[in-house]
Amino acid sequence: MTSYFQYRRAAISELEARISEIQALVSSSEGLFASNRRLDALIEAIKAKGRMQKLGKIDTTIENQVINILRQAVYEVDEYNRLSGHKAAVMTVDISPDSKLIASGSVDKTIKLWAQN
């Protein structure tokens, strides 16, 4: 009988530790997002979602936190620059030493030079 209660206590402690880990990932993602480290925020949100799925049934409050931070990381990312113009995949990119020009080479056999506008 005693070993059963010890087992239950250990299982509950493990569950609480995993939930704390998920909450830490959510907090980390929020901080990274606020620090404009959007890709890192997305990675942390994905980790939180993955760990949440492994647990299966979880408190709806934590589930909502994970879903909200994942949505924020995915949908609220701003695009700053885009190099459009090639008709096929870009296979190489290089930046000039003074960072004023970017050269891109594509499968469509074109090379484009890009300058800051």
Side-chain angles (χ1 to χ4, degrees):
M1 196 64 124
T2 304
S3 58
Y4 171 75
F5 289 116
Q6 289 174 340
Y7 169 78
R8 285 293 297 151
R9 258 188 262 146
I12 290 169
S13 293
E14 182 181 352
L15 178 63
E16 289 172 348
R18 289 178 190 242
I19 290 171
S20 292
E21 182 183 10
I22 292 168
Q23 290 173 322
L25 287 167
V26 168
S27 294
S28 175
S29 180
E30 288 171 340
L32 289 165
F33 192 84
S35 300
N36 208 26
R37 293 178 54 196
R38 307 288 169 90
L39 181 58
D40 294 327
L42 178 60
I43 291 168
E44 292 293 285
I46 291 169
K47 285 179 188 176
K49 178 71 172 175
R51 292 204 172 93
M52 186 185 75
Q53 286 177 327
K54 284 181 185 176
L55 279 182
K57 187 93 171 143
I58 195 167
D59 181 64
T60 56
T61 304
I62 297 167
E63 185 176 8
N64 288 337
Q65 288 175 341
V66 171
I67 290 168
N68 288 338
I69 198 65
L70 189 57
R71 282 185 182 144
Q72 178 183 14
V74 170
Y75 295 118
E76 293 184 23
V77 172
D78 297 326
E79 182 179 322
Y80 291 103
N81 296 301
R82 178 184 286 212
L83 305 176
S84 300
H86 289 289
K87 292 182 176 29
V90 173
M91 298 305 287
T92 187
V93 175
D94 201 6
I95 301 172
S96 67
D98 63 1
S99 299
K100 293 185 178 183
L101 288 175
I102 298 174
S104 59
S106 172
V107 173
D108 65 10
K109 298 182 181 176
T110 61
I111 297 173
K112 295 201 176 272
L113 292 177
W114 309 89
Q116 259 183 331
N117 291 343

